[in-house]
Amino acid sequence: MQVPKSEDWLFEISATKKAINFNIKELWHYRDLLLLFVKRDIVTFYKQTILGPVWFVIQPLITSVIQFVIFSKIASIPSDGIPYFLFVLAGNILWFYFSDCLKATSETFTANQNIFGKVYFPRIIMPLKVAVSNLIKFGIQFVFFLIVLAYYVSQGAPIHITAYVLFLPLLLLIIAFIALGAGMLISSLTVKYRDLNFVITFGISLFMYITPIVYPTSLVLEKADPKYHQLIYMNPLTGLFDFFKYAFLGSGNIDWGAILYSVIFSIVILFFGLLVFTKTEKSFIDVI
C-alpha cells in the first residue's frame, strides 16, 4: 500500500501552552479580518439612519449640554476659567472613548459566542477591533471638539493650546490599554456570571463621576483634606484627563506623578487582562 505524501499546510492550529497567546505574526495575517470587523461596526451603527455618522456627535453634544445646565447653571461648579461647555466637552469625548471600549470589550465572549464556536481566528482580534472602531468614532467627535474650540477662541475665551497636544496619540493608547485590560478581565468573569453585565453598566456610570469631567481636579484638591489628595489620583484616568484639558485648553495643571502612575497601571492591567483572557478563551465555549 502506498503511503500518501505529506501535504504542505497553509496553517497549523494547535493548543498553546503559553501564558499569553499574543502572536504578532498571526495577528498580522488576520489584519484583513480586523479591518472587516471595524468596517462592519461602523457601517451597522448608522446604516438605515437619517443622520448617519452625525449620531457620533450628538452623544457628546447632548451630554455636554445637560451637564452645562445642571452643573454650571444650577450647581455653579467652576471650570478653571474655561467656558464650561467646552470644559465638559473635552472630558466627554475622552470618556466616551474609554467607556465604549470598556463596555464592548467586557462583552467579548457573550456577544461573540456564536462566531467563536464556528470558526477559528485569534480571539484577541475582537478587543482590538473595539479599540480601532471606537478610535474612528473618537476622531469624528474630536473634529467636532476642535470646531467648538475654534469658535470659543474666536470669541476671545482664555484658552491656551500647548505643545502637549502632540502627545494625543500616546494618551489615547494609554486609555485604550486601561479599557482593554479591564474589559478583558471583566469579560472572563461574565462568562460564568452573566448578571455582572448589569453591575458593569452601573459601575461605568458611577465611575464617570469620580473622573474629572464635570469638575476640575483643582476643585477637589481645594475642598478635600490634604491627606486624601493621593486618593484622588488613585483613579488612573485623573492624570490623563487633566493632561488632555491642559494640552488643548490650558486648564489646570499636569501632575507627572499621576501620568507615570497611569502608564504603569495601563501596562499592568493590560498584562493581567491578556493573561486571564487567554486562559478563558480556551474553555469558555464549554461554559457559556
Side-chain angles (χ1 to χ4, degrees):
M1 181 176 179
Q2 186 178 3
V3 179
K5 297 181 180 180
S6 60
E7 299 181 10
D8 294 328
W9 300 98
L10 292 176
F11 308 104
E12 181 179 345
I13 302 173
S14 59
T16 177
K17 297 182 179 179
K18 297 179 181 179
I20 297 181
N21 183 24
F22 194 75
N23 191 326
I24 301 297
K25 184 178 179 180
E26 185 181 39
L27 287 176
W28 176 252
H29 174 75
Y30 282 92
R31 64 189 183 279
D32 291 337
L33 180 62
L34 173 61
L35 295 177
L36 180 64
F37 280 139
V38 170
K39 181 180 179 181
R40 184 197 64 176
D41 282 358
I42 298 298
V43 171
T44 54
F45 183 87
Y46 63 83
K47 188 177 182 181
Q48 295 181 335
T49 60
I50 297 176
L51 299 179
V54 177
W55 284 110
F56 290 144
V57 175
I58 291 177
Q59 184 184 23
L61 173 61
I62 294 180
T63 302
S64 299
V65 168
I66 294 174
Q67 291 170 342
F68 171 75
V69 173
I70 296 176
F71 296 104
S72 178
K73 293 302 182 180
I74 298 178
S76 299
I77 293 179
S79 55
D80 286 340
I82 303 298
Y84 192 84
F85 177 78
L86 181 62
F87 179 84
V88 292
L89 180 62
N92 281 326
I93 62 172
L94 270 189
W95 172 257
F96 286 129
Y97 178 67
F98 168 79
S99 61
D100 289 347
C101 286
L102 176 59
K103 191 172 189 305
T105 305
S106 67
E107 298 171 349
T108 296
F109 290 119
T110 55
N112 300 284
Q113 54 182 309
N114 292 330
I115 190 173
F116 281 176
K118 294 177 180 178
V119 63
Y120 171 80
F121 60 89
R123 306 314 191 201
I124 194 65
I125 279 185
M126 303 311 286
L128 288 178
K129 69 94 178 176
V130 167
V132 176
S133 59
N134 279 297
L135 190 62
I136 297 173
K137 178 181 176 181
F138 170 83
I140 297 173
Q141 295 175 346
F142 181 68
V143 170
F144 172 67
F145 166 72
L146 291 180
I147 293 173
V148 176
L149 176 64
Y151 168 77
Y152 278 107
V153 170
S154 67
Q155 296 299 309
I159 297 169
H160 306 285
I161 302 175
T162 70
Y164 290 114
V165 296
L166 299 176
F167 290 93
L168 178 60
L170 182 59
L171 183 70
L172 292 175
L173 182 64
I174 298 171
I175 292 176
F177 278 8
I178 297 174
L180 294 182
M184 285 188 289
L185 286 173
I186 296 170
S187 67
S188 302
L189 294 175
T190 54
V191 168
K192 292 184 178 180
Y193 311 105
R194 296 295 188 89
D195 53 348
L196 280 179
N197 286 321
F198 303 104
V199 178
I200 297 307
T201 301
F202 173 75
I204 291 176
S205 301
L206 183 63
F207 192 58
M208 179 180 183
Y209 291 100
I210 62 174
T211 302
I213 298 174
V214 299
Y215 56 84
T217 303
S218 59
L219 177 64
V220 183
L221 294 175
E222 178 185 340
K223 299 294 184 180
D225 191 298
K227 64 182 180 180
Y228 297 119
H229 283 185
Q230 292 302 319
L231 294 177
I232 298 170
Y233 292 102
M234 290 295 289
N235 178 356
L237 297 182
T238 298
L240 301 176
F241 276 61
D242 286 347
F243 185 96
F244 182 83
K245 290 181 179 180
Y246 182 84
F248 285 93
L249 307 178
S251 168
N253 296 288
I254 297 178
D255 189 312
W256 291 107
I259 297 297
L260 179 61
Y261 164 72
S262 298
V263 171
I264 296 174
F265 183 91
S266 68
I267 295 173
V268 171
I269 196 168
L270 181 65
F271 172 80
F272 281 104
L274 285 170
L275 188 68
V276 175
F277 185 89
T278 301
K279 182 178 180 181
T280 303
E281 71 171 347
K282 298 175 184 178
S283 58
F284 90 96
I285 201 67
D286 298 324
V287 178
I288 201 163

PDB file of all heavy atoms in Angstrom, residues 140-158:
ATOM      1  N   ILE A 140     -14.254  61.473  14.855  1.00  0.00           N
ATOM      2  CA  ILE A 140     -15.373  62.326  14.448  1.00  0.00           C
ATOM      3  C   ILE A 140     -15.739  63.288  15.567  1.00  0.00           C
ATOM      4  O   ILE A 140     -15.961  64.490  15.343  1.00  0.00           O
ATOM      5  CB  ILE A 140     -16.578  61.461  14.052  1.00  0.00           C
ATOM      6  CG1 ILE A 140     -16.229  60.595  12.837  1.00  0.00           C
ATOM      7  CG2 ILE A 140     -17.800  62.325  13.746  1.00  0.00           C
ATOM      8  CD1 ILE A 140     -17.295  59.591  12.460  1.00  0.00           C
ATOM      9  N   GLN A 141     -15.785  62.788  16.793  1.00  0.00           N
ATOM     10  CA  GLN A 141     -16.114  63.637  17.935  1.00  0.00           C
ATOM     11  C   GLN A 141     -15.015  64.664  18.197  1.00  0.00           C
ATOM     12  O   GLN A 141     -15.294  65.799  18.599  1.00  0.00           O
ATOM     13  CB  GLN A 141     -16.335  62.772  19.173  1.00  0.00           C
ATOM     14  CG  GLN A 141     -17.542  61.854  19.068  1.00  0.00           C
ATOM     15  CD  GLN A 141     -17.683  60.920  20.256  1.00  0.00           C
ATOM     16  OE1 GLN A 141     -16.763  60.751  21.050  1.00  0.00           O
ATOM     17  NE2 GLN A 141     -18.842  60.291  20.387  1.00  0.00           N
ATOM     18  N   PHE A 142     -13.775  64.269  17.943  1.00  0.00           N
ATOM     19  CA  PHE A 142     -12.653  65.167  18.158  1.00  0.00           C
ATOM     20  C   PHE A 142     -12.692  66.346  17.175  1.00  0.00           C
ATOM     21  O   PHE A 142     -12.379  67.481  17.539  1.00  0.00           O
ATOM     22  CB  PHE A 142     -11.336  64.404  18.016  1.00  0.00           C
ATOM     23  CG  PHE A 142     -10.107  65.234  18.247  1.00  0.00           C
ATOM     24  CD1 PHE A 142      -9.821  65.728  19.510  1.00  0.00           C
ATOM     25  CD2 PHE A 142      -9.240  65.518  17.198  1.00  0.00           C
ATOM     26  CE1 PHE A 142      -8.683  66.495  19.730  1.00  0.00           C
ATOM     27  CE2 PHE A 142      -8.098  66.275  17.407  1.00  0.00           C
ATOM     28  CZ  PHE A 142      -7.827  66.776  18.673  1.00  0.00           C
ATOM     29  N   VAL A 143     -13.085  66.068  15.928  1.00  0.00           N
ATOM     30  CA  VAL A 143     -13.238  67.154  14.941  1.00  0.00           C
ATOM     31  C   VAL A 143     -14.309  68.134  15.412  1.00  0.00           C
ATOM     32  O   VAL A 143     -14.134  69.359  15.306  1.00  0.00           O
ATOM     33  CB  VAL A 143     -13.588  66.576  13.555  1.00  0.00           C
ATOM     34  CG1 VAL A 143     -13.979  67.697  12.590  1.00  0.00           C
ATOM     35  CG2 VAL A 143     -12.411  65.792  12.989  1.00  0.00           C
ATOM     36  N   PHE A 144     -15.404  67.602  15.943  1.00  0.00           N
ATOM     37  CA  PHE A 144     -16.456  68.468  16.490  1.00  0.00           C
ATOM     38  C   PHE A 144     -15.917  69.308  17.645  1.00  0.00           C
ATOM     39  O   PHE A 144     -16.205  70.509  17.748  1.00  0.00           O
ATOM     40  CB  PHE A 144     -17.630  67.614  16.960  1.00  0.00           C
ATOM     41  CG  PHE A 144     -18.685  68.376  17.707  1.00  0.00           C
ATOM     42  CD1 PHE A 144     -19.456  69.331  17.059  1.00  0.00           C
ATOM     43  CD2 PHE A 144     -18.908  68.135  19.055  1.00  0.00           C
ATOM     44  CE1 PHE A 144     -20.428  70.049  17.750  1.00  0.00           C
ATOM     45  CE2 PHE A 144     -19.883  68.839  19.753  1.00  0.00           C
ATOM     46  CZ  PHE A 144     -20.645  69.797  19.095  1.00  0.00           C
ATOM     47  N   PHE A 145     -15.113  68.693  18.509  1.00  0.00           N
ATOM     48  CA  PHE A 145     -14.496  69.415  19.628  1.00  0.00           C
ATOM     49  C   PHE A 145     -13.605  70.549  19.123  1.00  0.00           C
ATOM     50  O   PHE A 145     -13.626  71.659  19.664  1.00  0.00           O
ATOM     51  CB  PHE A 145     -13.692  68.439  20.490  1.00  0.00           C
ATOM     52  CG  PHE A 145     -12.754  69.099  21.453  1.00  0.00           C
ATOM     53  CD1 PHE A 145     -13.235  69.765  22.570  1.00  0.00           C
ATOM     54  CD2 PHE A 145     -11.376  69.064  21.247  1.00  0.00           C
ATOM     55  CE1 PHE A 145     -12.367  70.378  23.468  1.00  0.00           C
ATOM     56  CE2 PHE A 145     -10.509  69.669  22.126  1.00  0.00           C
ATOM     57  CZ  PHE A 145     -11.006  70.335  23.242  1.00  0.00           C
ATOM     58  N   LEU A 146     -12.830  70.296  18.082  1.00  0.00           N
ATOM     59  CA  LEU A 146     -11.950  71.328  17.524  1.00  0.00           C
ATOM     60  C   LEU A 146     -12.751  72.486  16.934  1.00  0.00           C
ATOM     61  O   LEU A 146     -12.334  73.651  17.033  1.00  0.00           O
ATOM     62  CB  LEU A 146     -11.042  70.718  16.454  1.00  0.00           C
ATOM     63  CG  LEU A 146      -9.973  69.735  16.938  1.00  0.00           C
ATOM     64  CD1 LEU A 146      -9.154  69.222  15.758  1.00  0.00           C
ATOM     65  CD2 LEU A 146      -9.058  70.373  17.982  1.00  0.00           C
ATOM     66  N   ILE A 147     -13.906  72.181  16.340  1.00  0.00           N
ATOM     67  CA  ILE A 147     -14.763  73.243  15.794  1.00  0.00           C
ATOM     68  C   ILE A 147     -15.284  74.131  16.921  1.00  0.00           C
ATOM     69  O   ILE A 147     -15.267  75.367  16.825  1.00  0.00           O
ATOM     70  CB  ILE A 147     -15.932  72.629  14.994  1.00  0.00           C
ATOM     71  CG1 ILE A 147     -15.397  71.928  13.744  1.00  0.00           C
ATOM     72  CG2 ILE A 147     -16.950  73.696  14.608  1.00  0.00           C
ATOM     73  CD1 ILE A 147     -16.453  71.148  12.985  1.00  0.00           C
ATOM     74  N   VAL A 148     -15.752  73.493  17.994  1.00  0.00           N
ATOM     75  CA  VAL A 148     -16.240  74.253  19.150  1.00  0.00           C
ATOM     76  C   VAL A 148     -15.095  75.043  19.785  1.00  0.00           C
ATOM     77  O   VAL A 148     -15.261  76.204  20.181  1.00  0.00           O
ATOM     78  CB  VAL A 148     -16.887  73.312  20.190  1.00  0.00           C
ATOM     79  CG1 VAL A 148     -17.311  74.088  21.436  1.00  0.00           C
ATOM     80  CG2 VAL A 148     -18.080  72.588  19.582  1.00  0.00           C
ATOM     81  N   LEU A 149     -13.922  74.428  19.860  1.00  0.00           N
ATOM     82  CA  LEU A 149     -12.745  75.096  20.406  1.00  0.00           C
ATOM     83  C   LEU A 149     -12.395  76.333  19.584  1.00  0.00           C
ATOM     84  O   LEU A 149     -12.120  77.410  20.142  1.00  0.00           O
ATOM     85  CB  LEU A 149     -11.566  74.121  20.430  1.00  0.00           C
ATOM     86  CG  LEU A 149     -10.208  74.673  20.883  1.00  0.00           C
ATOM     87  CD1 LEU A 149     -10.269  75.129  22.331  1.00  0.00           C
ATOM     88  CD2 LEU A 149      -9.120  73.608  20.709  1.00  0.00           C
ATOM     89  N   ALA A 150     -12.401  76.194  18.270  1.00  0.00           N
ATOM     90  CA  ALA A 150     -12.091  77.316  17.385  1.00  0.00           C
ATOM     91  C   ALA A 150     -13.106  78.447  17.568  1.00  0.00           C
ATOM     92  O   ALA A 150     -12.741  79.638  17.532  1.00  0.00           O
ATOM     93  CB  ALA A 150     -12.074  76.849  15.934  1.00  0.00           C
ATOM     94  N   TYR A 151     -14.365  78.094  17.783  1.00  0.00           N
ATOM     95  CA  TYR A 151     -15.397  79.108  17.999  1.00  0.00           C
ATOM     96  C   TYR A 151     -15.109  79.922  19.263  1.00  0.00           C
ATOM     97  O   TYR A 151     -15.165  81.165  19.245  1.00  0.00           O
ATOM     98  CB  TYR A 151     -16.772  78.450  18.100  1.00  0.00           C
ATOM     99  CG  TYR A 151     -17.847  79.396  18.605  1.00  0.00           C
ATOM    100  CD1 TYR A 151     -18.401  80.353  17.768  1.00  0.00           C
ATOM    101  CD2 TYR A 151     -18.286  79.337  19.928  1.00  0.00           C
ATOM    102  CE1 TYR A 151     -19.377  81.238  18.235  1.00  0.00           C
ATOM    103  CE2 TYR A 151     -19.255  80.203  20.400  1.00  0.00           C
ATOM    104  CZ  TYR A 151     -19.791  81.158  19.549  1.00  0.00           C
ATOM    105  OH  TYR A 151     -20.740  82.036  20.016  1.00  0.00           O
ATOM    106  N   TYR A 152     -14.807  79.234  20.357  1.00  0.00           N
ATOM    107  CA  TYR A 152     -14.549  79.954  21.609  1.00  0.00           C
ATOM    108  C   TYR A 152     -13.272  80.780  21.528  1.00  0.00           C
ATOM    109  O   TYR A 152     -13.190  81.870  22.111  1.00  0.00           O
ATOM    110  CB  TYR A 152     -14.470  78.960  22.772  1.00  0.00           C
ATOM    111  CG  TYR A 152     -15.826  78.558  23.311  1.00  0.00           C
ATOM    112  CD1 TYR A 152     -16.353  77.298  23.056  1.00  0.00           C
ATOM    113  CD2 TYR A 152     -16.572  79.442  24.083  1.00  0.00           C
ATOM    114  CE1 TYR A 152     -17.598  76.930  23.548  1.00  0.00           C
ATOM    115  CE2 TYR A 152     -17.818  79.083  24.577  1.00  0.00           C
ATOM    116  CZ  TYR A 152     -18.325  77.830  24.309  1.00  0.00           C
ATOM    117  OH  TYR A 152     -19.569  77.486  24.796  1.00  0.00           O
ATOM    118  N   VAL A 153     -12.278  80.293  20.809  1.00  0.00           N
ATOM    119  CA  VAL A 153     -11.050  81.076  20.624  1.00  0.00           C
ATOM    120  C   VAL A 153     -11.362  82.357  19.859  1.00  0.00           C
ATOM    121  O   VAL A 153     -10.857  83.435  20.186  1.00  0.00           O
ATOM    122  CB  VAL A 153      -9.980  80.246  19.882  1.00  0.00           C
ATOM    123  CG1 VAL A 153      -8.807  81.127  19.467  1.00  0.00           C
ATOM    124  CG2 VAL A 153      -9.488  79.104  20.768  1.00  0.00           C
ATOM    125  N   SER A 154     -12.205  82.240  18.826  1.00  0.00           N
ATOM    126  CA  SER A 154     -12.579  83.422  18.039  1.00  0.00           C
ATOM    127  C   SER A 154     -13.378  84.425  18.860  1.00  0.00           C
ATOM    128  O   SER A 154     -13.404  85.620  18.542  1.00  0.00           O
ATOM    129  CB  SER A 154     -13.396  82.997  16.814  1.00  0.00           C
ATOM    130  OG  SER A 154     -14.664  82.471  17.197  1.00  0.00           O
ATOM    131  N   GLN A 155     -14.028  83.947  19.944  1.00  0.00           N
ATOM    132  CA  GLN A 155     -14.802  84.829  20.814  1.00  0.00           C
ATOM    133  C   GLN A 155     -13.954  85.424  21.935  1.00  0.00           C
ATOM    134  O   GLN A 155     -14.469  86.153  22.787  1.00  0.00           O
ATOM    135  CB  GLN A 155     -15.980  84.061  21.415  1.00  0.00           C
ATOM    136  CG  GLN A 155     -16.994  83.576  20.386  1.00  0.00           C
ATOM    137  CD  GLN A 155     -17.644  84.697  19.622  1.00  0.00           C
ATOM    138  OE1 GLN A 155     -18.154  85.662  20.204  1.00  0.00           O
ATOM    139  NE2 GLN A 155     -17.623  84.593  18.292  1.00  0.00           N
ATOM    140  N   GLY A 156     -12.667  85.112  21.923  1.00  0.00           N
ATOM    141  CA  GLY A 156     -11.761  85.685  22.910  1.00  0.00           C
ATOM    142  C   GLY A 156     -11.710  84.967  24.238  1.00  0.00           C
ATOM    143  O   GLY A 156     -11.277  85.541  25.243  1.00  0.00           O
ATOM    144  N   ALA A 157     -12.142  83.714  24.281  1.00  0.00           N
ATOM    145  CA  ALA A 157     -12.089  82.939  25.528  1.00  0.00           C
ATOM    146  C   ALA A 157     -10.632  82.705  25.939  1.00  0.00           C
ATOM    147  O   ALA A 157      -9.753  82.578  25.074  1.00  0.00           O
ATOM    148  CB  ALA A 157     -12.808  81.609  25.349  1.00  0.00           C
ATOM    149  N   PRO A 158     -10.355  82.657  27.250  1.00  0.00           N
ATOM    150  CA  PRO A 158      -8.975  82.485  27.744  1.00  0.00           C
ATOM    151  C   PRO A 158      -8.468  81.054  27.570  1.00  0.00           C
ATOM    152  O   PRO A 158      -8.273  80.320  28.538  1.00  0.00           O
ATOM    153  CB  PRO A 158      -9.090  82.863  29.218  1.00  0.00           C
ATOM    154  CG  PRO A 158     -10.493  82.502  29.588  1.00  0.00           C
ATOM    155  CD  PRO A 158     -11.320  82.803  28.352  1.00  0.00           C
TER     156      PRO A 158
END
